[in-house]
Each structure stands twice: as C-alpha cells, then as structure tokens.
Amino acid sequence: MKKYVLVLMWMVFSMHLAHAQNQSVNGHQSGEEEAILQVIDDFMITLTTNDIAKRAGLQTEDGMTYTAVKRPDGSWRIVSRPNSVFLNPSPDDSPETVEKYWDPVVMIRGPLAMVWNPFEFLVDGKTSHCGVNLMQMVKTDGQWKLANTMWTHEPAETCNALAPSHPDKVRP
C-alpha cells in the first residue's frame, strides 16, 4: 500500500511540475506561439513582396514603431513613427529588401504577447543592418496582430555578435 501512495504522490507532483512549466513565473501562457510567429513571418515576407493589403491586415492601424539607431559614437537616436508608415508602397524601382530573424522568445498572457528576437536586414542581398526586434502583439477578433514594434538598428559590421546559433533557426 505504501508503494501505491508513493506512486500516486509522484504522479501528482509530476502533473503539478508539468503545469508549472507551462505557466512560468512571469505568467506566460503557452499554446499560441506558432500562430504569433506566423504573423511575424508573414509580415517579414510583405517587406519583400510589398503586399500592402496583406501587411495592413497584419498590424493595428493605431500602433507605433520605435527604432533605436546606433550612432558611430555609440549613442542612440530614437525614431518614432506610426504603423501606417509601413502602408506606403515603395516605388517599383526600389531595392529588394529581406528581413530574417531567429531565436524568438515569445511571451503570452491573455490577448497580449511580445516577441524578442535578433534579426538581419538585407538590401539587394547584402546586409544593411541588424539588431533586435521587440514586437508587441494583440489578439483581436480571434487574430493576432502587430500592435507596436521596436528594434535596434546596428551597423552591418557588428552583426556577427547577433548571428543565429544554427541556420535552421532562421525565419521566415
């Protein structure tokens, strides 16, 4: 009988531990990470394809972007713009742009989420700059959307410090 009580206690402890791993100290609720990352993947693809209609559907109209641009002296300049800046189509003769990211950290609580990840931005196949994105997401009408986005804009020569640990981790 003592064995059964010990097995039962171990099972209860294991279930509690599994639940605790799903609910971190910071209140993270797992289960929608891939849906959130798909929105970010789709948004990154629209930066290359210039699909303005799709891009508009992936973000909130009243959100903001903040860019921290690293100056040569090491200080930072902050630039803020509304999300609508991403809805102005580029001219047809604009260069090809691609943004890749990796190792995203996703935190979710209710209808709010944030994603933190390193990235590289390429213009015509060459690294323009890199940095770290912080994307705030909101779930409205059953869909995740980009609400506010912040990123660092760091010189290409510093990008090796942010390189992905493995090529398989690069998205989209």
Side-chain angles (χ1 to χ4, degrees):
M1 181 70 158
K2 203 175 194 182
K3 243 189 229 183
Y4 294 114
V5 170
L6 287 174
V7 168
L8 181 60
M9 286 175 57
W10 179 81
M11 287 173 53
V12 169
F13 175 75
S14 296
M15 288 173 26
H16 176 71
L17 183 60
H19 177 73
Q21 288 173 341
N22 287 337
Q23 297 279 26
S24 76
V25 174
N26 294 323
H28 173 71
Q29 298 171 313
S30 62
E32 295 200 65
E33 288 91 346
E34 196 53 43
I36 289 167
L37 293 175
Q38 187 61 55
V39 170
I40 294 171
D41 286 356
D42 291 346
F43 186 82
M44 297 299 180
I45 290 167
T46 70
L47 297 176
T48 300
T49 63
N50 228 2
D51 186 340
I52 302 304
K54 184 168 188 163
R55 190 179 305 160
L58 296 170
Q59 63 184 13
T60 63
E61 291 179 24
D62 56 354
M64 290 291 293
T65 67
Y66 296 90
T67 308
V69 181
K70 190 157 193 170
R71 296 177 175 141
D73 68 2
S75 64
W76 296 89
R77 177 175 59 97
I78 305 297
V79 179
S80 62
R81 297 174 285 196
N83 280 352
S84 61
V85 74
F86 289 107
L87 301 180
N88 297 320
S90 299
D92 289 337
D93 61 346
S94 64
E96 179 187 63
T97 59
V98 175
E99 184 167 343
K100 300 286 185 181
Y101 72 98
W102 51 91
D103 299 329
V105 175
V106 181
M107 296 297 295
I108 308 164
R109 184 70 178 174
L112 304 177
M114 66 143 230
V115 180
W116 175 278
N117 60 269
F119 74 91
E120 178 181 22
F121 193 82
L122 300 113
V123 176
D124 288 335
K126 292 186 176 183
T127 301
S128 164
H129 62 277
C130 60
V132 174
N133 287 323
L134 171 58
M135 300 177 189
Q136 296 174 323
M137 312 283 290
V138 61
K139 191 172 191 179
T140 58
D141 299 325
Q143 293 185 305
W144 287 103
K145 292 189 176 200
L146 285 164
N148 300 303
T149 307
M150 295 183 273
W151 65 90
T152 62
H153 186 288
E154 302 175 41
E157 60 270 10
T158 65
C159 293
N160 284 340
L162 292 172
S165 57
H166 193 276
D168 290 347
K169 296 189 178 242
V170 176
R171 296 179 72 118

